[in-house]
Amino acid sequence: MSLATAAVHQSRRAARVRAHAVTIALLLLLTGVTVLFLMPIFWMVSTSLKSNRHVFDLPIQWFPRPALWSNYPAAYRTVRFTRYFVNSAVVTGSVTVLNVLLSALAGYGLAKYRFLGRHALLILILATLMLPLEVVMVPLYLTVQRLGWLNSYQGMIVPVAANALGVLMMRQYFLSLPDDLIAAARIDGAGHVSTFLRIAVPLAWPALLTVAILIFQSTWDDFVWPFLIISNTSKATVPLAVQTFQSAETSDFPMLMAVSSIASVPLTLLFFIFQRQIITGVATTGMRH
Amino acid sequence: MSSGETAGIAVRAGLPRERLLSRVRRRWFGPSQPWWGFVFTLPMLVLLVCFKFWPMAYAAWLSLTNASLTERTWRFVGVHNYARLARDSTFVGALATTGRYVGATIALSMVLGLGLAVLLNQKVPARGLFRTLMFLPAVVPIVVAPILWQFLFNPYGLVNDALKAVGLHPVNWLLSSQGAVEALVVATAWRLTPLCMVIYLAGLQSIPGELYEAAKVDGAGAPRRFRSITLPMLKPTFLVVLVFAITLTVQNFVLALVMTGGGPDNASTTLSLFVYQTGFLGFQMGYASAAALVMLLIIVAFTMLSLRALRTEEG
Amino acid sequence: MPRSSLVRLAAVLALVPAALLAVGGIAANSAPPAFPSGSITITMFGSDEAPQFKVEEDMIADWQKLHPNVTVQAQQAPLGPAFQKLSTQLPTGGGPTIFSVFEPWIDGFSPYMAPANPAAFGLASMRQIYDLYLPHSLDAQSRGGAIFCLPSAAPSWSLLINRPKFTAAGLRIPEDIPHTWAQVAALQKKLTKYDAGGKLVQRGFGVRYTAGPQWYAMLFVASIESQGGSVLDREGNPLLTSPAAAKAMQIFQETAVAPTITKDVQTSPYQDFADGLDVMSYGGVNAMSFAVRLNPDLKGNIYVAQLPSLSGQVGGSPKYSFDYCVDKNASADEQFAAWSLVDYMTNHGNLLFTKTGAVQPRNNFFDSPDVKATPFINVFRNELTHAQALPQTKHWGQLQGAIQNGVQKVVFKQEAIPQALQEMQQEYLQAIGK
C-alpha cells in the first residue's frame, strides 16, 4: 500500500471515529434531555400502577411494588372506552381532514395570489385565533342551536374545524416555495385548482401533516365544547371519560392516570407515523436552485 | 407577479383596454386572475364568519351592555365597561401578570423548541423514537397536567429536591407570588415546547440540503451554518410558532385555575382567568366581553408588529 | 199532580244537579292532578361523582318502572363545566329538565327555575312539602314562600379527629377535644412534629388552602354569622371590615401552621387528613367515607366532634347544599314528571347515604335504619340544625374571590388583619362594579 493511500485510509478512519464520537455525544445529550423532560410522564405512568393510598407518597416511589397492571383493564371497562374512542376518532378525524383541506386552500390563496386586501384578510383571519372560547361560547352555542346541530356529530365537527392556525401555517409554507413551478404550470395551461392539487399540495406535504397533527392534538383533547353541546352520552368523546374519575371531593388517581395513558395512545401512534412522513416525505422536487 | 409584469403580458397579448383598467380591477381581475386567491380562501372564510366572526361581533356588542347571565334584560351602557376596566386594579394586575407569564413562556418554548428541532433533525439513531417521546407532554390530557405539576411542585417534592441537590434554595412554588407565576410558566412551557418543535421541524424541511453542503465545503462550522442559513430561512416559520405560542398561552386558563386558582392574592391571575372569573363565576358577561376584547386588541397589535418584523421579500 | 207536589219535585230536581255539581266540584278540588300520560322525555344533569351518579341511575331506573311513559336521559356532570353549560344553555331557553346546582348558584339561576309542584309529590300544598323537611332547612332554596330546589346533599362540617394520633400525644377523648378556635391554636403546639430533616410530619389542625376557596371562605362567613353578625347588609353592601370579620380572620392567623406544606388538591381535599399529616380536620359525613377510601386504616379510627367556634357553642359551621332544580322552560308535563322524580330521589336519600355519605335534611332520612346506625350521626345532625346558611346573593362568586384573597394575604403574606379586611372590602366592591 502506498503512503498516500495509507494516509487517506487513516484520515478516513479518524473522520469516522470523530463522527461516531459526535453521534454518541448527541445521543447522550438527547437521552438526558428526554429523561428530564418526561419526569411528569414517568410519574403519571408510575401512579397508574399504584393503589390510591400511595399516590402522593414522598419520596416518590418510581417503581410501585406491587404494580397494579389490573388498573388498566379496570379503567377501560369502567368507562366503556370503546364507544368514546370511536366517537373521538370520528370527530377528531373529520375536523382534521376538513381543517387541513380548507387551510391548505386558504393558505395557498393568500400566499400565491396578489389580490387587493389579502393582507387585511390575513389579519382578520388571525384575529379569530386570539379570542378565548369562554367569551364566544354563548353566541356560538346559539348559532349551533339555530342550525339544529345540538347533540350531533356535525355540531362537534364543523365549528371546531373553523381554526385559523392551519391557514397561517400553510400560508407561510407556501410563501417559502418559489413561484417558478406554479408559474410554469399556469403558463402550460393548467387550471388553478389542478395546479394547486398537482403541484402545490405534494410540495407542502410536511406542512400539511404538521397542521394535521396540531389540529388532531387540540381537538382530541377538547372537553368544553363537546360537553356543552352533547347531552347524550352515546356521542361523548374521550375527555369526558377522563373526567369521570375526578370530582370535587375525591378522585381515583391511579384510575385517572390509567385512563389518561390509554387516552394518549392514539395520538402518540399517529405522531410516530406522521413524523417519519414529515421528514422523509419531502421528495426531491428539482425545485432547489 | 408584479403589476408591471401583468401589464407587460397584457400588452403582449394585444389588449389595448389595459390602460383603462382601474388599479383595483387589475389587482383583482388581471390576466393572472388574482381573484382566484379569494376563491381559494372562501371556504375557510365562510366557516370563520359563521363560527368566529359572528360570535366575536356579538361579544363586541355585549361589551357595550351590562349583560349578565342571570338577568333577562340588558341595558346599553356604551364604553362604561371599558372605563371600569381602566379603574379595575385586578384587571390591570392581570395585564401585567399576563405579560410576564406569556413573555417567559413563549421565550422558553420557542428557544427550547428550536434547539430540540435542530437536534432531532440530525442523523441521530432512533431519532423517530426521540421525537415521539418528546411529543408526549402535548399528548397528556390537559386535565391531568396540572395534577402532575402540582405534585412535582410540592414544597417537599421533586423540583425542590432537585434544587437542593444542586445547592440552590427550595422555592415556595404555588403559594408565593413569585413562585406561582414561575410554576405556571414551567408547566405551560412543558406542554408548548413539543408543539413548537413540531412546527420548527416542518419548517426545517423547507431548507434545501445543498445550502448546507455548499457552506460545509466553504469551511463554515456548525454554529456559522446555523446563524447564516437556518435562522434566516426559518423566518416564515418563526411567525407561525410565535402566533401559535401566543394563542395557546393567552387562551389557556385551565392550568392557572387548577394549579394556583389565580393566587395567592391574584398573583397568578392571567387575563384569560380574569375573563373566566368575571364572566362565568361572576355572571357579568358584558364586563368580561370588554376585558376579552381588550385582550384581543393587544394581541392583534402585537401580531401585526411581528408580521412586519418577520417579513420576507414575498411576505 | 197537585201544585205543591210539583213545586217540591221541581225543587228536588233542581237541587240534584246543584248537589251533583257541588259534590263533583269538591271531588275535583281534593283529588290531586294525575301524573301526565303520554310519552315524555326529560334530561338530567346528575352528580359530578361516579358513585353518587351510579346511585342516581339506579333510582331513576326504579322510578321509571313506576312511570313507564317517561324516558330519562341522565348525564354525569363535573361541577365546573356543568356551571358553564348551564350558564350557556339556560339563558338561551335550553338546558336539561333537571339540573344540579351548588347552592351559591341558586340566586343566579333563579330566573330559570320552576317552583315545586305539590301535585307531583302527591301533596296538596307547598306547606306540606316544607313539612317533609327539618325546620328552616329549605331557607336557601325558597323564594317568596315557594320552593325552587330540593337538596341532594346538605352537608355541614364537624371536627374530624384521627383518634390514634390524638391519643398518642397524650390527649384524652373527649376531655381534651377543642371547642374554641383558640383551643385549636393552643393544641397546634402539642401536636405539630418535625422530623430530623426539618420536614413537617404532623400538624394539629390544617385549614385547606389549596383545595379550593370554599373551604376557608365558607368558614369565614360562618364565623361572622355565628357571632350574630352579617357579611352583607340588606342592600347587599359588604360588612367585611366589621369587628366580627376581624375576629373571624384571626382564626386563620392563629391556627396557621406551615400552611404551604400540604398535599390537598381541588379534586382530593381530604388528602392530608387521610395521610395522617393533619391530626384534626373538618368536613361532613361524606368526608369520613372519602378519607377511609384513601386510607383504609382510618376505618373506625375517626372520632367526630362538634366543629370549634369562636364562642365554643355549636353553630360555628357553615351549611351549604347541592340541589336539584327543574327548568322553567320545560313543558308543564315535563315539569310534573321532573318534580316527581326529584321527590323520589330525595325521598330515598338513605340509598345515597350508604354509598356517599350525603346527608339530607328530610325528616325520614334521619329515621332510616342505615342512617341511624352510622357512628356520630347525632353530632352531624346537631351541627346541621345549628349551622349557618350562606348569604343569599347573586355575587357569591366575587364575594368568595375577595375573601379568598383576603385570607391568603393574612396567611401567606403576613399582612395585618385590618389592612387585609380593608382591601377585601375594596376588592368586592370593585368586582361587583360599585
Side-chain angles (χ1 to χ4, degrees), chain B residues 6-243:
Chain B
T6 321
I9 292 175
V11 164
R12 262 183 273 134
L15 288 170
R17 282 165 66 237
E18 190 275 318
R19 258 174 272 125
L20 299 174
L21 285 170
S22 70
R23 183 167 169 266
V24 170
R25 279 188 72 200
R26 209 187 318 133
R27 288 285 289 274
W28 267 70
F29 297 109
S32 64
Q33 299 180 309
W35 59 274
W36 264 94
F38 186 73
V39 169
F40 277 119
T41 319
L42 206 55
M44 180 54 98
L45 208 56
V46 167
L47 229 57
L48 289 176
V49 164
C50 290
F51 299 110
K52 289 276 163 126
F53 286 122
W54 145 238
M56 273 167 69
Y58 188 87
W61 156 245
L62 271 187
S63 74
L64 300 173
T65 69
N66 67 343
S68 161
L69 283 175
T70 56
E71 308 283 347
R72 281 283 174 79
T73 53
W74 305 335
R75 236 182 35 244
F76 182 81
V77 293
V79 294
H80 169 81
N81 284 332
Y82 292 96
R84 191 178 148 199
L85 279 175
R87 282 179 280 130
D88 191 330
S89 58
T90 314
F91 176 73
V92 173
L95 272 177
T97 306
T98 307
R100 280 192 355 254
Y101 166 64
V102 173
T105 306
I106 64 180
L108 203 58
S109 308
M110 285 180 75
V111 169
L112 270 179
L114 180 60
L116 284 172
V118 168
L119 211 58
L120 290 171
N121 205 28
Q122 310 296 320
K123 282 198 178 7
V124 188
R127 55 196 170 144
L129 178 67
F130 276 115
R131 281 187 211 125
T132 310
L133 286 176
M134 293 306 268
F135 192 65
L136 287 180
V139 164
V140 170
I142 188 76
V143 291
V144 170
I147 302 175
L148 304 176
W149 283 107
Q150 265 178 317
F151 183 63
L152 293 178
F153 279 128
N154 189 293
Y156 294 154
L158 201 62
V159 177
N160 272 347
D161 280 350
L163 287 177
K164 276 192 273 188
V166 294
L168 294 168
H169 256 305
V171 175
N172 180 4
W173 288 105
L174 299 173
L175 288 168
S176 72
S177 306
Q178 186 66 19
V181 178
E182 289 171 2
L184 277 184
V185 168
V186 170
T188 316
W190 180 73
R191 224 175 138 75
L192 184 57
T193 303
L195 297 167
C196 293
M197 174 189 87
V198 169
I199 304 177
Y200 278 126
L201 271 175
L204 284 173
Q205 304 317 306
S206 71
I207 305 179
E210 296 83 40
L211 286 179
Y212 291 112
E213 295 302 323
K216 259 194 238 169
V217 165
D218 281 346
R224 181 76 203 283
R225 291 202 300 270
F226 180 75
R227 261 200 338 269
S228 313
I229 303 176
T230 314
L231 283 183
M233 299 283 295
L234 273 183
K235 254 201 195 170
T237 316
F238 273 139
L239 183 67
V240 183
V241 177
L242 187 64
V243 170

Side-chain angles (χ1 to χ4, degrees), chain A residues 132 134-135, chain B residues 270-280 288-289 291-292 295:
Chain A
E134 280 60 37
V135 168
Chain B
T270 55
L271 267 179
S272 51
L273 188 60
F274 176 82
V275 169
Y276 176 76
Q277 286 172 335
T278 317
F280 278 97
S289 302
M295 188 168 102

